[in-house]
Amino acid sequence: MKVGLIINNNPNCFNFMNKYDKLFLEQAMLGYKNFSWKYGGKAKHDDLFRRKHQLNKKFVFSEANIKRLSEINSLLAEKEVTVYQQSEKLENYVLNLKQNQDPFVTDYEIEFNISFFAEKKYAHIPDLEGNPFFDYDPLLFSKTEGKSESEIIQHKEWIFNVDHTEYIREGHPLYSFRHCWLFHDLIDHTILSYQDIVDIEDMWIDVNLIVQNATKLSD
């Protein structure tokens, strides 16, 4: 991923942005993980959530915006199923290695990353060309090794068959459709505002199998 701090050749490109929007674009250029690592403190993250709350207060729940959010919810619902299935294939592969006593495999992890792009919206920022404006690691797959079949079924039931419209009350415009887990995660647990989600143009999902080897050194 290309990372840069030169935002635009035009020095006035940020003149009309408030400090929260500038901070949001800084995390976009650094990548959210790098931003979190660099700043580490609570104040900057609080500012990003203040930006979210400010934008959400001004957001217009037009018919077009509700339709767009519903479409994104449906897409995420579809993707979380296929991603989980892919994770199961990867887990079966690595568990087979362990069962056959592969000398390298001590343990494993399966992790996810979702990246969101809006190149038209951010076309004026060269550093975001080909780069996401936000990416994060959602909690989705749960390792099945050592778990009972009932525990595995219960987890999948909660992910896929529970309505995750948790903090949206009846009468709210978004109460009109059932929220999948990833959509709930986006609107309730990340720094993205409704407008940021509406502006998503492309989405990439990485499923990463990490095969781990541990070696104990002698005293």
Side-chain angles (χ1 to χ4, degrees), residues 94-175:
V94 74
L95 288 177
N96 185 58
L97 293 179
K98 289 190 74 175
Q99 288 166 5
N100 287 300
Q101 298 183 330
D102 186 301
F104 183 82
V105 182
T106 305
D107 201 358
Y108 67 96
E109 298 292 339
I110 297 176
E111 298 178 351
F112 306 91
N113 180 263
I114 303 184
S115 300
F116 298 107
F117 299 78
E119 293 202 25
K120 292 177 184 176
K121 179 179 180 178
Y122 297 114
H124 61 293
I125 304 177
D127 283 351
L128 288 184
E129 183 179 354
N131 292 326
F133 68 87
F134 181 72
D135 68 284
Y136 83 117
D137 301 331
L139 298 175
L140 183 61
F141 183 75
S142 179
K143 289 167 64 173
T144 64
E145 187 177 25
K147 294 182 180 177
S148 67
E149 185 176 350
S150 63
E151 287 176 308
I152 297 167
I153 292 173
Q154 185 177 18
H155 176 73
K156 293 173 76 170
E157 178 73 18
W158 180 79
I159 287 285
F160 302 122
N161 296 325
V162 169
D163 184 356
H164 296 284
T165 316
E166 293 185 13
Y167 301 110
I168 302 294
R169 296 290 176 254
E170 190 171 355
H172 189 283
L174 297 188
Y175 193 79

Side-chain angles (χ1 to χ4, degrees), residues 23-24 35 44-52 191:
L23 193 63
F24 183 80
F35 176 88
K44 296 289 186 181
H45 288 88
D46 286 348
D47 282 345
L48 287 172
F49 278 97
R50 287 191 185 96
R51 170 191 176 272
K52 170 183 179 172
I191 62 171

Side-chain angles (χ1 to χ4, degrees), residues 150-204:
S150 63
E151 287 176 308
I152 297 167
I153 292 173
Q154 185 177 18
H155 176 73
K156 293 173 76 170
E157 178 73 18
W158 180 79
I159 287 285
F160 302 122
N161 296 325
V162 169
D163 184 356
H164 296 284
T165 316
E166 293 185 13
Y167 301 110
I168 302 294
R169 296 290 176 254
E170 190 171 355
H172 189 283
L174 297 188
Y175 193 79
S176 59
F177 58 89
R178 174 190 175 112
H179 295 189
C180 73
W181 163 249
L182 285 178
F183 186 77
H184 157 71
D185 202 24
L186 276 189
I187 66 173
D188 289 318
H189 302 152
T190 75
I191 62 171
L192 296 186
S193 68
Y194 294 134
Q195 189 61 55
D196 294 323
I197 298 170
V198 165
D199 290 335
I200 294 170
E201 297 166 18
D202 295 286
M203 175 176 66
W204 283 71

Side-chain angles (χ1 to χ4, degrees), residues 28-46:
M29 289 182 294
L30 287 172
Y32 187 69
K33 287 184 191 176
N34 290 329
F35 176 88
S36 301
W37 174 82
K38 178 180 178 182
Y39 291 110
K42 189 172 181 291
K44 296 289 186 181
H45 288 88
D46 286 348

Side-chain angles (χ1 to χ4, degrees), residues 75-86:
L75 177 62
L76 290 171
E78 174 190 330
K79 293 299 181 183
E80 68 185 15
V81 172
T82 56
V83 162
Y84 197 100
Q85 290 171 343
Q86 185 65 33

